[in-house]
Amino acid sequence: MKKVFIYVLALTALLTACHNVKVPEQFTDIKQAPRIYPDFTDVTIPLNIAPLTFELEDACDEVVARFTAGDYEMVCGGSTVQPDIDEWHTLVSKAIGKDINVEVFARTDDAWKRYQSFRIMVSPDSIDSYLSYRLISPSYVAYEELTLNQRCLENYDEQVMVNNMLCSEEISGQCVNCHNYQQYNPQRMQFHARQLHGGTIIAYDGKLRKINMRNDSVLSAGVYPAWHPWLPLIVYSTNLTRQSFHTRNANRIEVYDSESDLIAYDVDKNEVTNIENDTTEFEVFPVWAPDGKTLYYCSAHFEFRDTVSHVSEVIRRYREVKYNIYKKTFNPDTYQFGPRELVFQADSVGDGMSATLPRTSPDGRYLMFTMGHYGVFHIWHREADLYLLDLNTGQVRAMDEINSHETESYHAWSSNGRWVVFSSRRDDGNYTRPFFAHIDANGKGSKPFELPQANPDYHRQFLKCYNIPEFMRGPVEVSPQEFANVLKSSDGIPVQYVPQLRK
């Protein structure tokens, strides 16, 4: 009931914020732009995004904002700026391919001042209507209280897809993670459950199954997934993942692998096979090219030389673990993979860097990835930034127009290739939140903007991290209880290992 009550309050504020508000007739102009949160000044937005709400960072008694596009005007005000959704979409429709001009007025006692105006550029490129993500506390000790959520980007509607607490028990708990879709299709998704009721849930065209991917012939159950663009085929990395904690390092948690391989899983036949399992390589983060004929992934060369446990040795030598980007050809007619080829040698950049989380653009031209000083799990690395590799020219550059002084990590392309969403800790250094940026035909990004909320202060009060943002063409229609029932129903359907997958 509390959540519903909060939602009603937010909706009421939204409906009343733009009514009976007038632009001040007398004011003093000041020569500075307004400091607003979230920062929506001079950003580029899609034509179908939810209203951008914001609050003034400077103390005042009242704020009024005037939005103009051509001959259309919208005025909002009060303690915050919360545009009416219908008026907002009318405003945006008048500014497609052009700018919205925003004037902000602030009253302190009986005196009004007007800040320098700023622009909001409206791109003719739309964005996918839904976004999904995992919500989790930033501390590892509270991981059980998490959900997989989906949010409509055209308004503020948010729903829980998977509720981890529906499967946890007082003594035994579990974790859900790594949700992924085939070509943005909410009818074809998968995610994992770890520990209690562990297994991989695959929803495929109305059929819901729990798969037990553990097998004596593979390193572990599947971890990081990559759906083939059209075949019923998923490539996973298999990882023996551990974490340790720094006492004198800004990167407080180090998540690492002591072993990792690549496997391929046939959804229809329930068969699995190894495709990369070199004991001196840590393979991870597979992703397909849009033509379905190339698989990209990351791998770090690491040779164990001591007699201590592998976990202990990786902990001692963690700064030596550096990942490069590779690719393998794939024949969709025969399911045959070719040998690996080096795409980008990150460990030769400067004093040696590590590249992870590659994602290909829908047109196949670009590969976006995260790069840090070392390691695989860059969401905990403050130095981690987004980079762009032009697959036509081989040129690699830091996306300085998008990056911040804090962590940039998980990212995804929209289905039309004109937007990216990425997790960033730029607000406070502690919580990852989704940011969006427009990507033009030359791979140049616009100033990022934060996921809009009905209450502009929502993210500063919300104590959860957004992990693994993924675009979707629509909502997942399976209920949280249906997912929970399948997770709890059995140990899962065991996979069959085969030396080679066949179509």
Side-chain angles (χ1 to χ4, degrees), residues 30 80 82 115 120 161 166 244 250 255 302 332 344 392 394 396 400 440 462 498:
I30 60 173
T80 60
Q82 297 173 279
Y115 293 90
I120 298 173
M161 293 191 301
L166 291 177
S244 59
V255 180
F302 192 88
F344 174 61
N392 290 344
V396 176
D400 295 330
D440 67 19
F462 186 56
V498 295

Short mmCIF file of all heavy atoms in Angstrom, two decimals, residues 30 80 82 115 120 161 166 244 250 255 302 332 344 392 394 396 400 440 462 498:
data_model
loop_
_atom_site.label_atom_id
_atom_site.label_comp_id
_atom_site.label_asym_id
_atom_site.label_seq_id
_atom_site.Cartn_x
_atom_site.Cartn_y
_atom_site.Cartn_z
N ILE A 30 19.97 37.32 -14.62
CA ILE A 30 21.31 37.02 -14.11
C ILE A 30 22.08 36.27 -15.18
O ILE A 30 21.53 35.50 -15.96
CB ILE A 30 21.26 36.22 -12.79
CG1 ILE A 30 20.54 34.88 -12.99
CG2 ILE A 30 20.58 37.01 -11.70
CD1 ILE A 30 20.62 34.00 -11.77
N THR A 80 9.09 22.18 -7.71
CA THR A 80 9.88 21.52 -8.74
C THR A 80 9.21 21.76 -10.09
O THR A 80 8.10 22.28 -10.17
CB THR A 80 9.98 20.00 -8.48
OG1 THR A 80 8.66 19.45 -8.47
CG2 THR A 80 10.67 19.71 -7.16
N GLN A 82 7.61 19.82 -13.09
CA GLN A 82 7.09 18.50 -13.45
C GLN A 82 6.03 18.68 -14.55
O GLN A 82 4.86 18.86 -14.28
CB GLN A 82 6.48 17.81 -12.23
CG GLN A 82 7.49 17.51 -11.13
CD GLN A 82 6.82 16.99 -9.88
OE1 GLN A 82 6.29 17.75 -9.07
NE2 GLN A 82 6.82 15.68 -9.72
N TYR A 115 17.23 33.06 -15.04
CA TYR A 115 18.54 32.55 -15.44
C TYR A 115 18.67 32.59 -16.96
O TYR A 115 17.69 32.74 -17.69
CB TYR A 115 18.70 31.10 -14.97
CG TYR A 115 18.77 30.93 -13.47
CD1 TYR A 115 17.61 30.74 -12.73
CD2 TYR A 115 19.99 30.93 -12.80
CE1 TYR A 115 17.67 30.56 -11.35
CE2 TYR A 115 20.06 30.76 -11.43
CZ TYR A 115 18.89 30.57 -10.71
OH TYR A 115 18.95 30.39 -9.35
N ILE A 120 16.98 22.13 -25.15
CA ILE A 120 16.83 20.67 -25.19
C ILE A 120 16.60 20.32 -26.65
O ILE A 120 15.60 20.75 -27.25
CB ILE A 120 15.66 20.18 -24.32
CG1 ILE A 120 15.90 20.52 -22.85
CG2 ILE A 120 15.45 18.68 -24.51
CD1 ILE A 120 14.71 20.22 -21.95
N MET A 161 9.69 -7.54 -12.94
CA MET A 161 9.61 -8.75 -13.76
C MET A 161 9.90 -10.00 -12.93
O MET A 161 9.17 -10.99 -13.00
CB MET A 161 10.61 -8.68 -14.92
CG MET A 161 10.35 -7.64 -15.97
SD MET A 161 11.42 -7.88 -17.42
CE MET A 161 13.07 -7.77 -16.71
N LEU A 166 10.77 -13.83 -3.76
CA LEU A 166 9.73 -14.85 -3.87
C LEU A 166 10.31 -16.26 -3.79
O LEU A 166 9.57 -17.22 -3.57
CB LEU A 166 8.97 -14.69 -5.19
CG LEU A 166 8.07 -13.46 -5.32
CD1 LEU A 166 7.45 -13.41 -6.72
CD2 LEU A 166 6.99 -13.45 -4.26
N SER A 244 37.08 -10.15 -3.79
CA SER A 244 37.87 -9.78 -2.62
C SER A 244 37.71 -8.29 -2.40
O SER A 244 37.10 -7.58 -3.21
CB SER A 244 39.34 -10.18 -2.80
OG SER A 244 39.89 -9.54 -3.93
N ALA A 250 40.74 2.90 -4.09
CA ALA A 250 39.44 3.53 -4.36
C ALA A 250 38.46 2.53 -4.97
O ALA A 250 37.24 2.68 -4.83
CB ALA A 250 39.62 4.72 -5.30
N VAL A 255 36.06 -8.06 -8.29
CA VAL A 255 35.42 -9.29 -8.75
C VAL A 255 36.27 -9.84 -9.89
O VAL A 255 36.63 -9.11 -10.80
CB VAL A 255 33.98 -9.02 -9.21
CG1 VAL A 255 33.32 -10.30 -9.70
CG2 VAL A 255 33.16 -8.40 -8.07
N PHE A 302 46.62 -15.74 -18.94
CA PHE A 302 47.10 -15.84 -17.56
C PHE A 302 47.61 -17.25 -17.32
O PHE A 302 46.84 -18.22 -17.42
CB PHE A 302 45.97 -15.52 -16.58
CG PHE A 302 46.43 -15.32 -15.16
CD1 PHE A 302 46.83 -14.07 -14.71
CD2 PHE A 302 46.46 -16.38 -14.28
CE1 PHE A 302 47.24 -13.88 -13.40
CE2 PHE A 302 46.89 -16.21 -12.97
CZ PHE A 302 47.28 -14.95 -12.53
N PRO A 332 26.23 -19.97 -39.88
CA PRO A 332 24.89 -20.26 -39.39
C PRO A 332 24.27 -21.52 -39.98
O PRO A 332 23.32 -22.07 -39.41
CB PRO A 332 24.08 -19.02 -39.82
CG PRO A 332 25.09 -17.95 -40.04
CD PRO A 332 26.30 -18.66 -40.55
N PHE A 344 41.31 -6.22 -30.79
CA PHE A 344 41.87 -5.03 -30.13
C PHE A 344 42.74 -5.49 -28.97
O PHE A 344 42.26 -6.21 -28.07
CB PHE A 344 40.77 -4.11 -29.63
CG PHE A 344 41.27 -2.95 -28.81
CD1 PHE A 344 42.13 -2.02 -29.37
CD2 PHE A 344 40.90 -2.81 -27.48
CE1 PHE A 344 42.61 -0.96 -28.61
CE2 PHE A 344 41.36 -1.75 -26.72
CZ PHE A 344 42.22 -0.82 -27.29
N ASN A 392 35.19 -0.70 -39.22
CA ASN A 392 35.57 -0.46 -40.62
C ASN A 392 37.01 0.00 -40.74
O ASN A 392 37.72 -0.36 -41.69
CB ASN A 392 34.64 0.57 -41.26
CG ASN A 392 33.24 0.04 -41.47
OD1 ASN A 392 33.01 -1.17 -41.43
ND2 ASN A 392 32.28 0.93 -41.69
N GLY A 394 39.25 0.26 -37.79
CA GLY A 394 40.10 -0.21 -36.71
C GLY A 394 40.45 0.87 -35.70
O GLY A 394 41.17 0.62 -34.73
N VAL A 396 40.22 3.29 -32.56
CA VAL A 396 39.66 3.20 -31.22
C VAL A 396 39.81 4.55 -30.54
O VAL A 396 40.88 5.17 -30.63
CB VAL A 396 40.36 2.11 -30.38
CG1 VAL A 396 39.83 2.10 -28.96
CG2 VAL A 396 40.18 0.74 -31.01
N ASP A 400 34.99 10.57 -24.80
CA ASP A 400 35.11 11.64 -23.81
C ASP A 400 33.84 12.47 -23.68
O ASP A 400 33.57 13.06 -22.63
CB ASP A 400 36.28 12.56 -24.17
CG ASP A 400 37.62 11.85 -24.08
OD1 ASP A 400 37.74 10.93 -23.25
OD2 ASP A 400 38.54 12.19 -24.83
N ASP A 440 25.43 9.77 -33.29
CA ASP A 440 25.17 10.17 -34.67
C ASP A 440 25.82 9.19 -35.65
O ASP A 440 26.43 8.19 -35.26
CB ASP A 440 25.61 11.62 -34.93
CG ASP A 440 27.11 11.82 -34.86
OD1 ASP A 440 27.87 10.82 -34.97
OD2 ASP A 440 27.55 12.98 -34.71
N PHE A 462 16.67 7.06 -3.70
CA PHE A 462 16.51 5.64 -4.01
C PHE A 462 17.84 4.93 -3.80
O PHE A 462 18.81 5.19 -4.51
CB PHE A 462 16.03 5.47 -5.45
CG PHE A 462 15.70 4.07 -5.84
CD1 PHE A 462 14.77 3.34 -5.13
CD2 PHE A 462 16.32 3.47 -6.93
CE1 PHE A 462 14.45 2.04 -5.49
CE2 PHE A 462 16.01 2.18 -7.31
CZ PHE A 462 15.07 1.45 -6.58
N VAL A 498 27.44 -32.31 -26.15
CA VAL A 498 27.83 -32.89 -27.43
C VAL A 498 29.14 -32.27 -27.88
O VAL A 498 29.43 -31.12 -27.54
CB VAL A 498 26.74 -32.66 -28.52
CG1 VAL A 498 25.46 -33.41 -28.18
CG2 VAL A 498 26.46 -31.16 -28.68
#
